[in-house]
Structure formats: structure tokens, C-alpha cells
Amino acid sequence: KNEVEQSPQNLTAQEGEFITINCSYSVGISALHWLQQHPGGGIVSLFMLSSGKKKHGRLIATINIQEKHSSLHITASHPRDSAVYICAAHTSGSRLTFGEGTQLTVNP
Amino acid sequence: GAGVSQSPSNKVTEKGKDVELRCDPISGHTALYWYRQRLGQGLEFLIYFQGNSAPDKSGLPSDRFSAERTGESVSTLTIQRTQQEDSAVYLCASSLVAGLTGNTIYFGEGSWLTVV
């Protein structure tokens, strides 16, 4: 069992739909990151959370430390949101442990 | 520069040759990380530096892999006697300080390595 698990692995949505990607982790963490990987491979850090909720534009990230669960939500999805979304947990030391990623495709 | 810079962006090398991958972190960032992503797979941690020291090298897949950092700045990841399974994109990232909450990590564009 991976220490960080994401679901779903693949997600196809229609433009405008509300999207949720889930991340569960089984280890103690100091922080959790949501990353976006573009088709060319570049990675952008979207959020870093240690508690509660953060919002940036149409993106919302939440974390429940007790349940060891985080979600990334995208409101009013758009084709340009198509990317791989990766959950990464700060575990021991400064090591990041990554989920397998969620491939999101938003169709026009 | 403004972001994390990696070079080369693409490298094709013959099996058995050595390669060096370079990372220039954001100026002032004391923490530097190397990750690898093989085709169709997730990201793997390789090594991280706090300053010029590497407290955690446990992710390096074999003794053919080594990394160093100098001047709390540039880092070089060296792969000796490359094998086909080393083909991957090698990503570098940096952050202001390692391991603290509130610490955003910035990624480079990656170095795509193909071993033929």
C-alpha cells in the first residue's frame, strides 16, 4: 500500500463541471502539497496545506488532519485545467512522498 | 534567474556513458531537491540538500548516482555508466528552507534523459 494514495487515477469532465480529486495518506505529515504537472512535464505548486482550507481562483484545497485526507476541488472547470494533479506529503525530514497522480481531461 | 533552472533540457546518451545534470535553484533557497519521473510513472524522491549537505540520500537508486551542491547554489546530479532504466525526466526543486510548514517548493522544467 502506498503511503500516499490518490483517486481517481483518471478523470474526464465536461467544461463547467465541478471536479474533486482526493488524496489519502497513511503517515504523519508536516504539510501536504498539491502540484499540477503540465503535458510538457513542468510542475507547478498549487497549494501547500497543514490545516484547514485554501482557495486560489477556481481552485480550493482542503485537508483533514484527523482523517488523513485532503481534497482538491476545481470549480467551473475549463479545458486548460487538463493536466496531471499530484498530491505530495511532507513525511520524514524533508522528503516528499508523492501520490500516483490524477490525469484530468476537461472537454469543451 | 527568477525560477529554478535545469540543464540540459534534453539529453540523449549511449548506454554506459556518464551524464551530468545541472540545477540552478532560486537565489537564496537553501533547500534543493532532486526527483525522477520515469515514463508513465509517479515522481520518485532521489536526494535533498540543506545548504551543501545532503541529509537524506536514501532515494538514490544505486551507487552509479551521486549528487553534489556547492556554494549553497548550483547542484549537479551525476549518473555513471548509464543504463536504459535510467531514462526519465529528472526534476529539481528548491525551497527557502527544508522541511518547514509554510514553505513553498518551486520546480524546474526538468532534464529529459534518454539512454539508448
Side-chain angles (χ1 to χ4, degrees):
Chain A
K1 188 180 190 319
N2 293 333
E3 292 180 322
V4 179
E5 292 196 329
Q6 286 184 236
S7 62
Q9 283 188 314
N10 291 281
L11 181 56
T12 301
Q14 288 300 122
E15 184 172 356
E17 286 185 359
F18 180 84
I19 287 162
T20 296
I21 300 170
N22 294 301
C23 176
S24 296
Y25 52 92
S26 59
V27 293
I29 68 169
S30 57
L32 186 133
H33 298 257
W34 281 101
L35 311 172
Q36 181 190 52
Q37 185 169 32
H38 298 290
I43 294 178
V44 173
S45 178
L46 298 175
F47 294 103
M48 186 185 56
L49 299 166
S50 56
S51 65
K53 175 179 173 179
K54 287 190 176 179
K55 184 176 189 292
H56 182 71
R58 294 181 294 104
L59 302 178
I60 302 166
T62 63
I63 189 167
N64 184 318
I65 298 296
Q66 286 73 31
E67 295 185 4
K68 295 188 174 179
H69 181 270
S70 177
S71 293
L72 176 68
H73 305 285
I74 305 175
T75 62
S77 59
H78 190 277
R80 65 174 174 267
D81 297 327
S82 298
V84 175
Y85 292 84
I86 303 167
C87 166
H90 254 304
T91 53
S92 60
S94 289
R95 176 187 288 247
L96 274 179
T97 302
F98 298 92
E100 292 295 315
T102 296
Q103 173 69 64
L104 172 65
T105 304
V106 181
N107 294 317
Chain B
V4 178
S5 177
Q6 291 187 243
S7 62
S9 54
N10 284 284
K11 174 75 175 178
V12 179
T13 191
E14 291 181 354
K15 179 180 170 180
K17 296 281 179 70
D18 297 351
V19 296
E20 283 190 351
L21 306 176
R22 176 187 168 110
C23 174
D24 283 89
I26 292 173
S27 179
H29 280 195
T30 64
L32 185 148
Y33 313 82
W34 282 101
Y35 303 98
R36 177 173 74 172
Q37 186 173 34
R38 293 173 174 169
L39 188 64
Q41 297 188 21
L43 284 155
E44 302 172 68
F45 168 82
L46 297 178
I47 188 172
Y48 94 92
F49 290 89
Q50 177 59 49
N52 294 330
S53 301
D56 189 350
K57 303 180 184 179
S58 61
L60 294 176
S62 77
D63 59 8
R64 295 186 296 104
F65 286 72
S66 63
E68 65 173 15
R69 188 180 185 196
T70 57
E72 297 198 358
S73 180
V74 172
S75 177
T76 302
L77 177 68
T78 302
I79 310 171
Q80 295 178 309
R81 304 180 304 280
T82 51
Q83 302 294 315
Q84 288 184 329
E85 65 261 25
D86 299 334
S87 297
V89 60
Y90 290 82
L91 286 155
C92 178
S94 71
S95 62
L96 199 58
V97 184
L100 294 180
T101 302
N103 202 19
T104 299
I105 294 176
Y106 299 85
F107 285 82
E109 291 293 315
S111 290
W112 293 80
L113 175 65
T114 303
V115 181
V116 298

